[in-house]
């Protein structure tokens, strides 16, 4: 059974600092890995999707890497802003199931 | 606008009273899925569907039913709700069953069972 872990569970940084969020998974036979953002009481917004054959994906200030062999992905958010405060979830897809990590709650202090 | 729509968004009900949470997508997606989100447990998959009339259990299917009679709709049925089904529910869809597609989520349905 796929286990997805996100460390740390919470993170607080001053505005302008770069954010590094980690995601690890136990079974490397995945189809893809997706990073989501969730605001309190809201749904999940897709940030980046990395296929199993890819090493990284970039969108604006966001960059996500994938090392399938070691079962790890990292989400980098450059020059953080207060609007980046949210919970970030990673999810891995294998077979027809999606397994989620518990998330990292980020607070960016102005 | 491409979207996944869930209804109701909020519901308070009592134990044993059957209810249905609807999910509809307008993107002609083949794959649809239901999740529940609980504090400390994260998101867990309840059921998924690969296409019309094709459904399968996720990790926590007990107490739930689903159907996929049309491509756009994937309702979640609680035949006899219990308090342990109090949760935040999400429906999601993706274009294909090839497992490579981006997953799109609805806004969520917060269910309270008294």
């Amino acid at each position: 059974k796929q286990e997805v872990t996100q460390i740390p569970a919470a993170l607080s940084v001053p505005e302008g600092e770069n954010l590094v969020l980690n995601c690890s998974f136990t079974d490397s036979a995945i189809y893809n890995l997706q990073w989501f953002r969730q605001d309190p009481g809201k749904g999940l917004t897709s940030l980046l999707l990395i296929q199993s054959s890819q090493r990284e994906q970039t969108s604006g200030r966001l960059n996500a890497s994938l090392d399938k062999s070691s079962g790890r992905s990292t989400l980098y958010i450059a020059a953080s802003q207060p609007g980046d405060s949210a919970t970030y979830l990673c999810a891995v897809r294998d077979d027809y199931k999606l397994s989620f990590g518990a998330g990292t709650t980020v607070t960016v202090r102005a | 606008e491409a979207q996944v729509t869930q209804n109701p968004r909020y519901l308070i009900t009592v134990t044993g009273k059957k209810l249905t949470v609807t999910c509809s997508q307008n993107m002609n997606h083949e794959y649809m899925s239901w999740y529940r989100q609980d504090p400390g447990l994260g998101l867990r998959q309840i059921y998924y569907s690969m296409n019309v009339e094709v459904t399968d259990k996720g990790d926590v299917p007990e107490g739930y039913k689903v159907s996929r009679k049309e491509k756009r709709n994937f309702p979640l049925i609680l035949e006899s709700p219990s308090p342990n089904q109090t949760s935040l529910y999400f429906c999601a869809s993706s274009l294909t069953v090839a497992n490579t597609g981006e997953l799109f989520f609805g806004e969520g349905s917060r269910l309270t069972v008294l």
Side-chain angles (χ1 to χ4, degrees):
Chain A
K1 182 176 181 287
Q2 182 77 265
E3 300 286 342
V4 182
T5 304
Q6 291 186 249
I7 296 173
L11 189 59
S12 178
V13 299
E15 183 176 3
E17 192 165 300
N18 296 332
L19 286 164
V20 180
L21 307 179
N22 297 302
C23 173
S24 62
F25 47 95
T26 54
D27 186 347
S28 62
I30 65 170
Y31 286 93
N32 62 42
L33 185 146
Q34 198 166 348
W35 282 94
F36 295 90
R37 169 188 172 133
Q38 185 177 26
D39 294 291
K42 301 287 189 181
L44 279 71
T45 301
S46 178
L47 297 174
L48 289 167
L49 171 70
I50 313 175
Q51 303 296 349
S52 62
S53 58
Q54 297 175 317
R55 298 283 294 184
E56 66 176 338
Q57 277 284 356
T58 298
S59 175
R61 294 185 295 113
L62 276 58
N63 174 276
S65 66
L66 174 64
D67 184 341
K68 219 173 60 158
S69 61
S70 67
R72 300 176 72 166
S73 176
T74 303
L75 177 67
Y76 300 91
I77 303 177
S80 61
Q81 305 167 357
D84 294 328
S85 298
T87 297
Y88 292 83
L89 298 156
C90 71
V92 297
R93 195 159 181 185
D94 50 23
D95 199 1
Y96 293 109
K97 295 186 178 180
L98 198 70
S99 299
F100 283 85
T104 295
T105 299
V106 171
T107 302
V108 181
R109 308 186 303 271
Chain B
E1 181 189 353
Q3 58 187 4
V4 179
T5 304
Q6 297 179 224
N7 281 295
R9 295 288 315 281
Y10 303 91
L11 179 63
I12 300 174
T13 190
V14 296
T15 299
K17 186 175 182 181
K18 180 179 178 180
L19 67 92
T20 298
V21 186
T22 64
C23 174
S24 180
Q25 49 89 8
N26 63 359
M27 297 170 278
N28 200 37
H29 284 176
E30 291 183 342
Y31 179 92
M32 297 185 74
S33 185
W34 276 103
Y35 303 85
R36 60 178 290 174
Q37 186 175 33
D38 302 289
L41 296 175
L43 275 130
R44 294 175 293 168
Q45 190 171 38
I46 304 170
Y47 270 95
Y48 61 92
S49 170
M50 291 168 280
N51 214 323
V52 175
E53 302 290 3
V54 183
T55 63
D56 206 349
K57 298 176 181 178
D59 294 321
V60 289
E62 296 79 18
Y64 304 95
K65 285 176 57 178
V66 292
S67 68
R68 187 93 181 272
K69 293 184 171 58
E70 308 166 276
K71 199 171 187 179
R72 64 183 293 126
N73 295 322
F74 189 44
L76 180 70
I77 303 157
L78 285 73
E79 294 272 3
S80 183
S82 62
N84 65 12
Q85 292 179 297
T86 293
S87 187
L88 180 58
Y89 291 87
F90 288 103
C91 179
S93 71
S94 68
L95 181 60
T96 73
V97 297
N99 298 321
T100 56
E102 183 178 6
L103 212 60
F104 295 89
F105 278 77
E107 287 288 303
S109 296
R110 185 168 294 281
L111 170 65
T112 302
V113 183
L114 301 175

